[in-house]
Amino acid sequence: MMKIIGAIGDAHSMTENEVDSFLERKLNLQLATIDEMGDPNIQPIWFEYDPDKKKLFVMTPKASKKAQNIRRQSKIYFSIDDESFPYKGVKGKGEVVILEDPEKIMHIVEKINLKYLGTLDHPLAKMLIDNTREGIETVLEITPKFFSTWDFGKT
C-alpha cells in the first residue's frame, strides 16, 4: 500500500484506487532533477505506471540531462496533473534507478509508445524502439516515497 497524503487537505485527496486510475491516463509527468550546479531541472516526459509495483517508468536517452543528473543524485520530485477542470493530480518524491538492458526495458518502451502514440508503427515509436535496441534509450524506474494528491471534483 502506498502512502497517500492530501496536497490541500483530506477532503480533496484521492484514494489508492483513484490514484491508480488517474495514473493510467495520457498525461505528462513533470520530472524534477538537480543539476551539477545544484539547480532544479524540470522536464515534461511520457510515463507508464505499474499499479501492482507502485512504480513509475519513463524513458530518456542515456546521454540526456535528466539521466546525467540522476547519476549524480537519484532523488527526484515529480508532478502529474490534469489541466482541465475539475483539476486533479498526483505529485511526490522518489528514488530512481536507471535501467539500461535493452531486452529488459523493451516491453516498457513499447507500453509507453502505445499509451501516447497508439501504435508502434508511428515513426517516433520506431525511432525510440530502435534507439532502445542500440542502447541509446534507457528507462528510469521511479519508486515514489509517497503520493500527494488533489481532486477538485470532490467537495
Side-chain angles (χ1 to χ4, degrees), residues 106-118:
M106 186 60 74
H107 72 284
I108 298 168
V109 170
E110 289 174 348
K111 276 184 171 183
I112 292 171
N113 278 285
L114 284 170
K115 177 179 178 178
Y116 289 88
L117 298 172

Side-chain angles (χ1 to χ4, degrees), residues 60-73:
T60 190
K62 188 184 294 189
S64 71
K65 185 70 172 173
K66 34 187 177 308
Q68 291 172 31
N69 291 345
I70 288 165
R71 282 188 183 91
R72 274 191 305 281
Q73 171 58 264

Side-chain angles (χ1 to χ4, degrees), residues 72-90:
R72 274 191 305 281
Q73 171 58 264
S74 64
K75 291 183 176 124
I76 56 90
Y77 208 89
F78 63 89
S79 181
I80 305 156
D81 67 305
D82 185 343
E83 297 176 3
S84 304
F85 192 82
Y87 307 116
K88 62 173 64 176
V90 174

Side-chain angles (χ1 to χ4, degrees), residues 11-43:
H12 297 283
S13 185
M14 290 187 216
T15 66
E16 189 168 347
N17 286 340
E18 289 169 333
V19 168
D20 290 350
S21 178
F22 178 78
L23 294 177
E24 289 176 11
R25 298 177 55 199
K26 190 169 127 178
L27 299 165
N28 282 337
L29 179 147
Q30 306 295 326
L31 180 67
T33 60
I34 302 298
D35 71 13
E36 66 278 2
M37 302 297 289
D39 294 324
N41 181 285
I42 300 174
Q43 296 287 320

Side-chain angles (χ1 to χ4, degrees), residues 40-53:
N41 181 285
I42 300 174
Q43 296 287 320
I45 193 164
W46 296 349
F47 74 97
E48 178 65 24
Y49 176 64
D50 184 328
D52 296 325
K53 295 180 181 175

